[in-house]
Amino acid sequence: MAYPGQEDTGTELTGVAVAPDGRAWVSGRNSDRQGLLHWNKQRWRWCATLPSTATEAPSGVHRTPGGEIWVYGTGVVARWDGAWTELPPPTGFRFGVTGLLPCADNDVWLTAYDYGVGGPPGKPPSCVLRHWDGTTWSHVTPPFTVGLLSGITDDDQGRPDRIAGWDFWDQTRAHHLRRDGTAWVSERGPLASTPVVLNALARIPGTGEYWSVGTTSSSPYPPAQARVEHFGP
């Protein structure tokens, strides 16, 4: 489907979110530093230029149950409601943002991975989990710290629910995190004969079931195969 800037150098599309009525939003960036593309069920148009000075395109977009639209990535966390409201991005490390869950103005979760100074190559990333309380971002230590956190979901009430993860020190099972009301606790996937590197997680609304997808290798060699897991009855 054609969209504005499709042929322009530097245009990049990175994620999609869809409303129940069929409207859609795509994160990315064009040559004019606009970071959100909107489908109103008739045509695509770019929303206003992001306020952030970040040079990279947002890595994803999230739609809350209440209809708020957020984009997130390295150097940018912002909400669109006809105008941009931007949170200060977490600082102090070089990280790749993998997921954002805005539950309320004072309750926003961010998942990421960080190679730190000097890496890669050859150095595994560390897990990054941050929480916004309306004023500042705080560091939250997950049950495992070497690997990556690769996506976050909410429950049917919009509360933080589960996080998909890759545990560098135990790659034979997926290492998910589950919110037990006050803390994030481990929830392991089935034992596998190959490494399990999950990179996305989705909840089936109203069912308590989940799908997660990824690969069987954290590097190009040996060639990775697709990995799909299901959680539920």
Side-chain angles (χ1 to χ4, degrees), residues 5 81 101:
D81 58 5
L101 181 62

Side-chain angles (χ1 to χ4, degrees), residues 29 33 50-56 75 86:
R29 180 156 290 189
R33 207 166 54 80
L50 278 166
S52 173
T53 58
T55 57
E56 297 183 26
E86 187 172 25

Side-chain angles (χ1 to χ4, degrees), residues 188-225:
R188 306 307 302 269
L191 189 65
S193 59
T194 63
V196 179
V197 185
L198 297 181
N199 51 37
L201 174 70
R203 179 180 59 85
I204 304 174
T207 66
E209 299 182 44
Y210 302 79
W211 288 98
S212 52
V213 297
T215 69
T216 59
S217 178
S218 59
S219 64
Y221 303 101
Q225 303 296 315

